[in-house]
Amino acid sequence: MQQIQVPENNAAMALICLLIPLLPFIGFVINGLGNGKLPKSVVTLVGCGSVLVSFLLSIYLFISFPAGSVGYTTEIFNWIKVGSLSIPFAFQIDQLSLIMLLLVTGVGFIIHVYSAGYMSHDPGFGKFFAFLNLFIFSMLLLVMGANYAMMFIGWEGVGLCSYLLIGFWNKVTPYNNAAKKAFIMNRIGDLGFLLAIFLIFMTYGSVTYSEVFTQAPTLPVSSEMITAITLLLFVGAMGKSAQLPLYTWLPDAMAGPTPVSALIHAATMVTAGIYMVLRSNVLYTMAPITLEFVAIIGLATAVFAASIGLFQNDIKKVLAYSTVSQLGYMFLALGVMAYSTSFFHVLTHAFFKALLFLGAGSVIHAMSGEQDMRNMGGLRKALPVTFITMLIGTLAISGIPPFAGFFSKDEILAHVFEHNKIMWAFGLLASFMTSFYMFRLMFLTFFGGFRGTEEQRHHLHESPKSMTLPLIILAILSTIGGFMGLPPVFSENHSLGNFLAPLFTASQQLNPEAFGHHMDHATEYMLMGISVVVALIAAIIAYVIYVSKKSVPAAEGTETGLHKLIYNKYYIDELYDSIIVKPVMGLSTGLYRFVEKGIIDPVVHGFGRITMGGGRGLRVLQSGAIGSYLLTMVAGIILILVLNYIMR
């Protein structure tokens, strides 16, 4: 098993590791305390600058990381020490945490810059940046922690920030409801995660990664305890990463400002579940039953969410269901033990999905807040930069070469093809639907005639440079990002896979067959060709319907048949409302009326009335008249003398 090393210059590395999350936290404190008092320029400088410096420090850690190393830990202080339980506040720096650091701080900084333009007229500008900084701090704790307890603290922190930012415009009741829905549904997953941590400590006597993974092989493969731990961990991942059946909160999370959707609900927080499984890859390799379950849930989510995206008309809702579907792809890869491939898609997805969300924000900004694509059309002339960059993002997510999504998605499908041909076919179906709904989005938004109001037409303009520059940077990353993982038919050097390889050494020793097999080039070419053709066919169908035939989706409420079923998201929200929300509310109402009001209140009030009655009776003794006090005293003395005489 791999042993985590300690760097020679431990003090310096500990300081750098501490500063990376600490700087955004300082930004949160400054902007939070100065909300409404600090100038927007200062808020922007503090909010963006703190994340930028963290990004630069992360780059330094990445460059200075020893090649081929299994990583190192830096302990800041001994956090919890109770009996045999010892949990240090320590950071683990290895290949996985390093890339996540670059992703969180790099993409986070870009989105902070974008937010400076997007939120410039919002009265809660300072509060918004404070919440964003707090999120970055929490996410960095999650990915840097050297044990499950620290991961859980970061896990809960990003959940809190998600709640605060979804309901940022808290004067709008539906936005508050969306925030509460996200918070409550994630509590279900978090309970599973917490129970898994308890089981890990009971089994291994520690929650520190290096100690747990070193002891993991002492249990047999597929043991009941390993299976229980991994299933409970996955329950946590299902909540945070919006997998069936705990996915319905994510589309509603689009109520928050668009930069929030890009940063938290596309690029970083929602991939925390994938990060957790990758971090625990040794445990999952020893639990093949759990892996099969992960693959099935991931595939079902990918197909199910993609189908819902086919007929959505809210531009952000399309991207939301797309995110749920792409997260399903990542779990599908994890389920077939394509660990590095899943992480590859985490990275490319962060690039093109953040790009698409920010592009949608640029469209919404130009359309004076309009999000319904039926009221858009012909925007490519008024918004050329937004159009070109979103087109690149669409090509990337659709799997068109040479854009980033082509390489990562096809690598997933290739691994799934080796695992199970039927699962591969459903994965390909999800890919077809992805291409269709994304090109549908592009054609309805940027092609044809303008369908909005005259007021919106006069307001149309390209977004400021603070918003378009992040789009351009993300478009470049969405174009070249895939070259970090070239398939064997193009190059034997899979840069990302080789860099991540030391993380999976233990898993490889446990299951060499899953890591050692390579597909022949002819099959790989065939699979890539099929995937590209399927994506192009979907794009052509979307072009014929929405450009050639100039079709516009029907007005809400006029859908029929299958279209109506899909448009209404298979009525899953209504189902949950009927079988969970209403019964729980009914039970709560009954307990309130019959237990709270009928039993508890009368008992509590009864004790109160007895006390009050006794107080009123004794109050006459406190009249303030000296004569009364003397009479009472004399009566008391006589009573004592009589009792004393009787008891002789």
Side-chain angles (χ1 to χ4, degrees):
M1 296 297 294
Q2 65 184 37
Q3 297 294 323
I4 300 298
Q5 302 167 347
V6 179
E8 295 179 2
N9 54 341
N10 193 38
M13 286 301 180
L15 178 60
I16 292 173
C17 291
L18 181 61
L19 284 174
I20 289 174
L22 183 60
L23 288 170
F25 183 77
I26 293 173
F28 156 70
V29 172
I30 294 173
N31 283 332
L33 294 177
N35 180 40
K37 303 172 185 176
L38 295 176
K40 289 185 178 179
S41 58
V42 175
V43 171
T44 303
L45 179 63
V46 171
C48 297
S50 60
V51 180
L52 175 60
V53 177
S54 292
F55 176 56
L56 296 175
L57 291 174
S58 300
I59 293 175
Y60 173 78
L61 282 185
F62 182 81
I63 294 173
S64 61
F65 187 76
S69 170
V70 294
Y72 56 83
T73 59
T74 58
E75 182 174 332
I76 308 303
F77 57 87
N78 195 356
W79 180 24
I80 299 174
K81 179 69 176 176
V82 180
S84 61
L85 175 63
S86 178
I87 304 177
F89 191 91
F91 298 122
Q92 180 162 320
I93 304 301
D94 57 16
Q95 291 84 349
L96 184 60
S97 58
L98 279 172
I99 298 180
M100 286 300 293
L101 282 178
L102 294 175
L103 176 65
V104 172
T105 56
V107 175
F109 171 67
I110 292 172
I111 294 175
H112 272 68
V113 173
Y114 179 95
S115 300
Y118 189 86
M119 300 293 291
S120 60
H121 301 296
D122 196 285
F125 187 80
K127 182 174 70 171
F128 182 78
F129 268 89
F131 290 165
L132 280 188
N133 281 167
L134 181 61
F135 168 78
I136 295 292
F137 164 74
S138 301
M139 191 70 197
L140 290 174
L141 276 188
L142 191 157
V143 301
M144 293 179 69
N147 52 69
Y148 283 105
M150 286 190 65
M151 182 193 284
F152 187 74
I153 295 301
W155 191 276
E156 292 300 298
V158 296
L160 170 64
C161 295
S162 174
Y163 166 78
L164 293 173
L165 287 163
I166 293 170
F168 180 76
W169 290 313
N170 49 39
K171 293 182 180 179
V172 183
T173 300
Y175 295 176
N176 289 330
N177 292 338
K180 288 187 289 185
K181 182 177 182 180
F183 193 78
I184 293 169
M185 290 199 75
N186 271 276
R187 296 289 71 71
I188 299 171
D190 293 355
L191 175 61
F193 188 9
L194 192 60
L195 292 174
I197 294 176
F198 292 154
L199 287 183
I200 288 171
F201 177 72
M202 288 172 55
T203 306
Y204 301 110
S206 175
V207 293
T208 299
Y209 299 143
S210 57
E211 296 177 6
V212 171
F213 302 152
T214 300
Q215 298 179 59
T218 58
L219 292 178
V221 173
S222 296
S223 72
E224 292 181 358
M225 184 58 72
I226 287 282
T227 302
I229 289 171
T230 50
L231 281 173
L232 287 171
L233 286 174
F234 182 58
V235 170
M238 289 166 67
K240 194 67 73 184
S241 297
Q243 297 297 284
L244 288 172
L246 303 178
Y247 74 96
T248 56
W249 68 269
L250 183 56
D252 288 2
M254 298 304 107
T258 301
V260 174
S261 304
L263 177 62
I264 298 182
H265 305 122
T268 54
M269 187 195 82
V270 291
T271 61
I274 291 92
Y275 171 82
M276 179 177 67
V277 176
L278 285 167
R279 177 60 73 195
S280 311
N281 68 86
V282 176
L283 300 178
Y284 278 88
T285 301
M286 297 181 63
I289 296 174
T290 304
L291 282 177
E292 195 66 27
F293 180 70
V294 170
I296 292 171
I297 292 295
L299 179 61
T301 304
V303 175
F304 184 80
S307 69
I308 295 177
L310 292 174
F311 299 122
Q312 295 302 305
N313 297 318
D314 184 315
I315 190 170
K316 287 179 67 176
K317 284 290 181 72
V318 175
L319 297 178
Y321 282 105
S322 171
T323 300
V324 176
S325 179
Q326 295 301 307
L327 291 168
Y329 265 117
M330 298 170 203
F331 280 108
L332 174 60
L334 292 173
V336 299
M337 290 182 63
Y339 296 133
S340 60
T341 302
S342 177
F343 193 57
F344 185 19
H345 201 56
V346 168
L347 296 179
T348 59
H349 177 263
F351 299 151
F352 59 68
K353 188 53 64 66
L355 168 61
L356 289 167
F357 265 116
L358 295 185
S362 180
V363 170
I364 295 167
H365 179 78
M367 290 289 297
S368 304
E370 179 63 68
Q371 296 183 195
D372 194 328
M373 296 184 295
R374 291 172 294 191
N375 299 326
M376 299 179 186
L379 300 184
R380 66 184 187 279
K381 294 180 181 178
L383 286 73
V385 176
T386 301
F387 166 67
I388 294 171
T389 53
M390 283 195 73
L391 178 61
I392 291 173
T394 299
L395 293 169
I397 193 175
S398 300
I400 306 298
F403 299 95
F406 163 74
F407 296 100
S408 58
K409 186 200 68 177
D410 273 42
E411 193 172 313
I412 292 174
L413 290 175
H415 282 285
V416 175
F417 182 82
E418 291 183 302
H419 180 77
N420 186 301
K421 305 298 187 294
I422 296 176
M423 295 179 79
W424 169 80
F426 278 103
L428 195 64
L429 174 63
S431 177
F432 172 85
M433 291 188 287
T434 299
S435 180
F436 177 84
Y437 65 63
M438 284 309 306
F439 278 99
R440 174 181 180 268
L441 180 152
M442 289 297 296
F443 296 144
L444 285 174
T445 304
F446 294 103
F447 289 77
F450 183 72
R451 299 181 294 275
T453 64
E454 282 302 314
E455 183 180 353
Q456 289 172 330
R457 185 193 299 274
H458 291 306
H459 186 265
L460 287 178
H461 62 279
E462 185 59 274
S463 298
K465 289 184 179 179
S466 62
M467 293 172 64
T468 55
L469 183 59
L471 293 178
I472 294 170
I473 295 172
L474 289 169
I476 293 171
L477 292 173
S478 299
T479 303
I480 65 174
F483 292 98
M484 72 176 88
L486 292 174
V489 292
F490 297 143
S491 172
E492 291 298 325
N493 182 29
H494 194 296
S495 301
L496 180 63
N498 294 340
F499 181 72
L500 294 173
L503 286 171
F504 309 121
T505 302
S507 292
Q508 188 172 5
Q509 293 171 350
L510 290 167
N511 192 342
E513 294 181 2
F515 290 84
H517 182 69
H518 295 289
M519 183 181 295
D520 65 90
H521 288 185
T523 304
E524 198 164 356
Y525 275 124
M526 178 192 72
L527 293 178
M528 285 192 293
I530 292 174
S531 179
V532 173
V533 168
V534 164
L536 290 174
I537 290 174
I540 292 170
I541 293 174
Y543 180 85
V544 171
I545 295 174
Y546 298 106
V547 178
S548 297
K549 295 184 178 181
K550 299 181 180 180
S551 298
V552 177
E556 191 167 348
T558 60
E559 306 87 0
T560 57
L562 183 62
H563 183 188
K564 182 179 181 180
L565 178 66
I566 296 175
Y567 179 76
N568 288 286
K569 301 159 284 188
Y570 299 102
Y571 296 99
I572 298 298
D573 279 305
E574 289 79 1
L575 176 65
Y576 286 177
D577 189 61
S578 298
I579 66 174
I580 299 175
V581 177
K582 288 181 179 177
V584 169
M585 290 295 291
L587 177 63
S588 300
T589 303
L591 290 173
Y592 172 74
R593 289 177 178 174
F594 300 109
V595 178
E596 176 78 12
K597 302 294 288 185
I599 299 175
I600 296 176
D601 280 359
V603 171
V604 173
H605 292 162
F607 280 112
R609 291 188 185 98
I610 292 172
T611 304
M612 292 292 290
R616 281 192 293 268
L618 293 172
R619 192 183 304 160
V620 298
L621 299 177
Q622 300 293 327
S623 62
I626 296 176
S628 298
Y629 294 161
L630 289 172
L631 178 62
T632 304
M633 184 178 66
V634 170
I637 292 171
I638 294 172
L639 180 62
I640 292 172
L641 292 173
V642 171
L643 289 174
N644 185 50
Y645 177 79
I646 294 173
M647 294 176 65
R648 282 183 179 181

